[in-house]
Amino acid sequence: RGGAIYYFHFCVFMPEEKTEKKTRKSRKTGDGEKKKRKTRKTGQAALPSIPPDNELDRLYEQLLLNLGVGEDQKNAMRMMDKTQKWTMICQSKEELLTTTPQHFIEILKSTGITLKNAEKLRVALVHENMAWLQKFIDLDGVKLFFTKFKQLLESPSKTEVVLELITEFVLSAKGLLNVK
């Protein structure tokens, strides 16, 4: 387990940069003429070195489990090369850092909810992996979600914002019900 944390800890991605070309004068060549050298900066992600095969396989199997894909798709994904597997592992860890179930639990516990937060919640409930959803469920997120939804439905004033929030909650509930 310690190895998994070590490898995930070092999955660092640099922000994408536009390709940039610079022209520099180089030293004089033997025949007295100056050459121009072009350098390029690419915005590629800086990935750590790939872990040993057994660790890579263990991490990749955990990723496949978290993604909740079917057995046929798992078998197809297992055929990927080591670099592709490692890239997927690192990318999935980067995505997990953006929104946590705990963050949404706090939002649902608060007295109000913004449309932006409701949209983020919907996206998370529809697109996050199975481990994320299980954590959300374990933290009583579903109960809090439907409590907040009920409050919106029973709201005496059906302003445009309240109606938009209700729409987001309907779409979120649909996403929750479609989880396999």
Side-chain angles (χ1 to χ4, degrees):
R1 282 190 177 219
I5 293 170
Y6 172 79
Y7 287 115
F8 287 149
H9 178 72
F10 289 101
C11 290
V12 177
F13 287 82
M14 302 294 204
E16 290 282 333
E17 297 177 13
K18 292 184 178 178
T19 302
E20 178 182 303
K21 292 184 180 182
K22 293 181 181 176
T23 304
R24 298 185 199 159
K25 290 183 181 179
S26 68
R27 58 188 170 347
K28 287 188 177 185
T29 59
D31 58 355
E33 131 188 345
K34 290 191 176 200
K35 282 191 170 181
K36 291 185 178 180
R37 179 179 52 165
K38 291 186 178 182
T39 60
R40 264 176 67 177
K41 221 182 196 183
T42 61
Q44 293 186 0
L47 291 177
S49 58
I50 298 173
D53 288 350
N54 60 345
E55 181 69 6
L56 178 67
D57 291 340
R58 187 186 71 72
L59 295 172
Y60 195 65
E61 287 301 317
Q62 183 64 44
L63 173 66
L64 295 178
L65 179 69
N66 289 344
L67 291 174
V69 297
E71 204 55 44
D72 291 340
Q73 193 172 3
K74 281 182 186 178
N75 289 331
M77 291 175 76
R78 287 180 182 120
M79 303 303 291
M80 292 179 162
D81 66 35
K82 290 180 186 182
T83 304
Q84 290 172 317
K85 288 178 180 179
W86 185 235
T87 301
M88 285 182 66
I89 290 167
C90 290
Q91 286 173 343
S92 73
K93 286 300 163 188
E94 180 188 59
E95 290 168 7
L96 285 177
L97 298 175
T98 57
T99 55
T100 64
Q102 295 86 345
H103 173 74
F104 288 111
I105 296 300
E106 291 304 314
I107 290 171
L108 290 170
K109 284 181 178 178
S110 68
T111 54
I113 186 167
T114 65
L115 186 56
K116 183 176 181 178
N117 283 336
E119 290 169 348
K120 287 181 180 180
L121 176 60
R122 174 184 48 82
V123 170
L125 292 173
V126 172
H127 296 291
E128 284 292 348
N129 61 45
M130 294 304 290
W132 191 98
L133 287 171
Q134 188 60 53
K135 182 72 172 172
F136 184 78
I137 292 166
D138 292 345
L139 294 170
D140 284 333
V142 175
K143 181 180 178 183
L144 291 167
F145 171 82
F146 282 106
T147 300
K148 185 65 76 174
F149 192 15
K150 182 180 177 191
Q151 289 172 357
L152 288 169
L153 291 171
E154 293 174 347
S155 174
S157 64
K158 299 287 194 258
T159 64
E160 186 176 333
V161 173
V162 171
L163 293 174
E164 288 178 24
L165 285 168
I166 290 171
T167 301
E168 286 299 324
F169 272 72
V170 168
L171 295 171
S172 297
K174 179 182 174 190
L176 272 174
L177 296 173
N178 285 329
V179 172
K180 294 179 182 178

